[in-house]
Amino acid sequence: MSKQPKHERRKLFWIDPKLQGALVLRAVIHWAVMLLSIAAVLFLAAALSDLNAPVSAVAQMVSAYLIPAVVVSLLVLPILLLDTIRQSNRLVGAVSRFHHALQRLADGETTSPLIVREGDCWKSMADQFNRIALRLEELETASNEKTSSCDQEEVVSV
């Protein structure tokens, strides 16, 4: 995680550019497949409406309906992509916080409690993680106290 102040971290748009970029790319691919599907259905409907019509007339009729659909969908596409990034930010941000906290625990460091936004789907997992981290800290503290009392007994007995 970056060294930015907490209030600025929430403003990060690209937490994991590789993952979020892949999600954006998938959204664009889905959008393109949707447009191709619409074009195919329009072409089929136009061809079946007049079986004797030349291909150029069918193509012209399809383009008359498809061009406005493409224009409107191009206007909506940035909103779709922005929403994809924002929603993925919530997901990737929580996963990133879990990853860094787990790394600290694995390295033997203490970690501050994970805090996720209220209503976030990660809330129960964060609560469980915080309980585990607290338990590990308590066990380490108890182990250190036991070790230090044993060391003191050895000093007294010498």
Side-chain angles (χ1 to χ4, degrees), residues 98-115:
F98 274 105
H99 173 76
H100 292 292
L102 284 170
Q103 186 65 46
R104 285 192 301 273
L105 282 180
D107 291 342
E109 301 172 21
T110 58
T111 181
S112 56
L114 286 175
I115 299 170

Side-chain angles (χ1 to χ4, degrees), residues 54-65:
V55 175
S56 62
V58 171
Q60 187 177 15
M61 191 160 66
V62 168
S63 67
Y65 291 106

